[in-house]
């Protein structure tokens, strides 16, 4: 199976990235995590993206806050799908990161999840890899079934709580 590459702009983004790695571990998807900043270590970020396909990656997740150009900068150097996680924080509490990540000009797409959406970023990456991996697709279907059962269990008990 191809790996998921997770790049965070700073180690202060780690709590958000941990939500993604928890999901990837639960699905037994191999991953690699790096701290590469688009502005502090632009060469490392570029080289990672340029070599990602030949290094066995299938999807890249980029987590960054404030003027969050990391996902776009990685996407500029690879045709692998790039999923951006805008991280909360700073004076605008994430609105800056959300717009910086989601508003990519035509030609270089970044699939953007919610602010701090580490779990959904990992699930979206898993769904991409599952296109060519039936065993992984089955795990995702089981996960959906478990979520459905949990909601229906809450539905069954909701009247008793009122
Ligand atoms: C971005 O700036 C990082 O992704 C982080 O979310 C934010 C703050 O970085 P630190 O000042 O905590 O290193 O580059």
């Amino acid at each position: 199976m191809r790996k998921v590459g997770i790049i965070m702009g700073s180690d202060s983004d780690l709590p958000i990235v941990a939500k993604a790695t928890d999901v990837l571990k639960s699905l037994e998807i191999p991953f690699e995590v790096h701290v590469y900043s688009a502005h502090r270590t632009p060469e490392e970020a570029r080289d990672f993206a340029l070599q990602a396909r030949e290094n066995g990656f299938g999807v890249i997740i980029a987590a960054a806050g404030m003027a969050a150009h990391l996902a776009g900068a990685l996407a500029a150097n690879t045709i692998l799908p790039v999923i951006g996680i805008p991280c909360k924080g700073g004076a605008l509490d994430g609105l800056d990161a959300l717009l910086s990540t989601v508003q990519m000009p035509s030609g270089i797409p970044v699939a953007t999840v919610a602010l701090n959406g580490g779990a959904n970023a990992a699930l979206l990456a898993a769904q991409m890899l599952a296109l060519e991996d039936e065993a992984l697709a089955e795990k995702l279907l089981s996960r959906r079934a478990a979520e459905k059962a949990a909601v229906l269990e809450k539905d069954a008990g909701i009247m008793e709580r009122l």
Side-chain angles (χ1 to χ4, degrees):
M1 188 192 304
R2 283 188 164 261
K3 294 178 285 185
V4 175
I6 305 182
I7 313 299
M8 63 187 116
S10 166
D11 66 347
S12 64
D13 301 318
L14 189 55
I16 311 307
V17 166
K19 295 198 280 183
T21 56
D22 284 350
V23 170
L24 295 176
K25 282 182 202 165
S26 74
L27 294 166
E28 298 175 288
I29 295 173
F31 63 86
E32 219 174 87
V33 179
H34 295 281
V35 182
Y36 293 148
S37 162
H39 44 274
R40 292 168 178 149
T41 62
E43 295 86 3
E44 286 76 6
R46 182 202 58 199
D47 290 350
F48 177 87
L50 283 173
Q51 294 155 16
R53 281 182 78 209
E54 66 195 61
N55 285 341
F57 293 94
V59 188
I60 295 173
I61 294 173
M66 300 179 76
H69 35 250
L70 180 60
L74 293 169
N77 287 301
T78 183
I79 59 163
L80 289 178
V82 174
I83 302 168
I85 310 172
C87 298
K88 290 188 80 169
L92 300 183
D93 205 21
L95 182 59
D96 42 4
L98 173 63
L99 297 179
S100 300
T101 306
V102 78
Q103 286 287 62
M104 283 297 291
S106 292
I108 310 292
V110 167
T112 305
V113 295
L115 281 167
N116 289 358
N120 264 4
L123 286 168
L124 186 53
Q127 289 176 204
M128 291 170 178
L129 295 174
L131 288 171
E132 302 292 335
D133 187 324
E134 198 49 40
L136 179 56
E138 287 301 324
K139 286 182 193 171
L140 286 166
L141 288 167
S142 297
R143 189 185 172 101
R144 289 276 178 105
E147 284 180 0
K148 177 177 176 175
V151 172
L152 293 179
E153 193 180 322
K154 286 176 184 159
D155 174 60
I158 197 71
M159 288 300 285
E160 288 154 26
R161 291 165 55 190
L162 297 171

